[in-house]
Amino acid sequence: MLTVTPRTVIIRTANESVEYCGQYMHGTGICIDENSPYDFATGHYPVIDESKPYTQFIKTGVYQNEFKIKIFSVMDIYQSEDCTPNYDIQYAGYGTFEVTKRKITVVSYDTAKVYDGYNVEVGYGIEYGTESDHTDAIKALVNDDYVSDYNIAETPFRAGKYSLSIYEIIRISAKADDSDITDCYEISYANATVIIEKRPITLESESSTKLYDGNPFVYAVVNIVEGSLAETDMLVCTKYTSVTEVGEYDNGFIAIFKHHNAERHDYKDIVDECYEVTYRYGTLTILAKSIFVKTSSDTRKYDGVYHS
């Protein structure tokens, strides 16, 4: 009599690692234990036995990779045969199944403008990948997960070059039950380069002339001849040239730019650094004053004495 005994195969489930995708997952990998007397027969292959309990995972963490297998043989490309009864399948141990955090990056987009007195608007997006290697070609938030709480940073308005992140994620929620799944994501931030260029403006003082009168001469009239003020700002000119003596002088002055603070409703904020100012000076002219001198006549007899 010929007796065919089951083929003993000792296996271990493999250590597996996958990135969080928002869906239930389970392990499928196995390896033949070093103490196993046999491998699978030629043409036979294992599949997970879904009729037996097996662990499924969705959130990040490290779990025991526990499942049972069946063994099939390939008959042709259309069908296979369950050969499990011909095997004595023993389990030497279970590996781990790790669900790692999904890497996403909040990207603030580079922006440039000329100073206009208003906070710069910076766009942002959420992309898949790390701060140094991210793309919008792959969906960042999976399974309809959504950002349920966030902060928007205040942006600058003054001229300068800035590196900043505009959007901060506080919480990510699952659409199915609104549960907090922020820990399933590894969040990085890619800063934007924001450039606010100085606003060009040309100021010119007017010329004026007067006759010398011994009093200080100041002519405080300044016009904007090129460019413009930001609509949030006002111009105050000071330190005008003051002259007294006859001659021609540059009608010098200093410009101060004041910004309207919407919260305080005042113009106490100075924004001189936000303007690229070109000064043009008119001429102050003090003319010499003409005077007419008339001497009187007098007659006297010679007396040998000097008279004036």
Side-chain angles (χ1 to χ4, degrees), residues 15-302:
N15 293 329
E16 299 181 70
S17 178
V18 297
E19 188 178 65
Y20 168 77
C21 67
Q23 303 289 338
Y24 281 103
M25 298 168 286
H26 60 78
T28 58
I30 65 167
C31 57
I32 301 297
D33 187 77
E34 60 183 10
N35 296 318
S36 179
Y38 299 104
D39 199 340
F40 300 116
T42 302
H44 290 189
Y45 63 92
V47 297
I48 188 169
D49 185 354
E50 295 185 0
S51 67
K52 303 289 180 64
Y54 63 94
T55 309
Q56 295 188 88
F57 320 100
I58 185 169
K59 293 188 175 182
T60 53
V62 179
Y63 309 91
Q64 182 170 280
N65 193 13
E66 183 175 354
F67 58 88
K68 305 299 181 181
I69 64 168
K70 291 181 178 181
I71 300 173
F72 284 80
S73 66
V74 178
M75 299 177 64
D76 54 43
I77 61 173
Y78 298 107
Q79 58 182 336
S80 58
E81 179 183 8
D82 186 355
C83 299
T84 308
N86 297 323
Y87 282 86
D88 174 21
I89 304 172
Q90 300 178 18
Y91 296 86
Y94 300 103
T96 58
F97 189 90
E98 181 179 10
V99 181
T100 62
K101 294 186 177 185
R102 186 174 184 84
K103 295 178 174 62
I104 61 172
T105 297
V106 179
V107 183
S108 297
Y109 301 132
D110 294 347
T111 305
K113 73 168 185 175
V114 174
Y115 169 79
D116 61 4
Y118 294 104
N119 297 79
V120 64
E121 294 183 1
V122 180
Y124 60 87
I126 303 174
E127 299 185 1
Y128 175 76
T130 63
E131 177 184 355
S132 59
D133 184 18
H134 50 82
T135 176
D136 60 1
I138 300 174
K139 191 173 183 181
L141 300 180
V142 294
N143 200 37
D144 293 327
D145 295 345
Y146 66 98
V147 177
S148 54
D149 192 12
Y150 58 88
N151 281 333
I152 297 291
E154 183 178 2
T155 58
F157 71 89
R158 294 176 181 268
K161 183 177 182 179
Y162 306 87
S163 177
L164 54 86
S165 181
I166 184 66
Y167 183 85
E168 179 189 11
I169 293 176
I170 304 300
R171 174 187 165 113
I172 300 175
S173 298
K175 183 178 181 180
D177 57 5
D178 295 322
S179 61
D180 185 353
I181 54 169
T182 311
D183 285 343
C184 293
Y185 289 89
E186 181 179 312
I187 306 170
S188 300
Y189 294 87
N191 285 9
T193 297
V194 175
I195 299 174
I196 304 176
E197 298 177 351
K198 292 185 177 184
R199 189 178 188 89
I201 192 169
T202 300
L203 305 176
E204 183 177 60
S205 58
E206 291 190 1
S207 298
S208 186
T209 301
K210 80 164 189 174
L211 291 174
Y212 172 80
D213 61 5
N215 296 317
F217 182 25
V218 176
Y219 193 65
V221 180
V222 173
N223 299 307
I224 299 173
V225 294
E226 292 180 9
S228 62
L229 280 173
E231 65 180 14
T232 58
D233 298 347
M234 65 180 295
L235 171 65
V236 176
C237 294
T238 185
K239 295 186 179 180
Y240 289 94
T241 296
S242 176
V243 292
T244 304
E245 304 301 325
V246 171
E248 291 187 349
Y249 308 89
D250 285 341
N251 188 12
F253 64 96
I254 297 295
I256 299 174
F257 298 90
K258 296 188 175 183
H259 178 74
H260 180 254
N261 185 295
E263 294 182 357
R264 299 194 309 262
H265 301 290
D266 62 32
Y267 282 90
K268 293 182 179 180
D269 294 336
I270 305 301
V271 289
D272 292 350
E273 76 280 7
C274 298
Y275 286 86
E276 187 71 45
V277 185
T278 299
Y279 287 96
R280 295 179 185 172
Y281 301 126
T283 302
L284 295 180
T285 303
I286 298 181
L287 301 175
K289 188 172 184 179
S290 299
I291 60 174
F292 178 74
V293 179
K294 182 180 179 181
T295 59
S296 60
S297 298
D298 191 15
T299 301
R300 67 175 61 198
K301 288 182 179 183
Y302 173 78

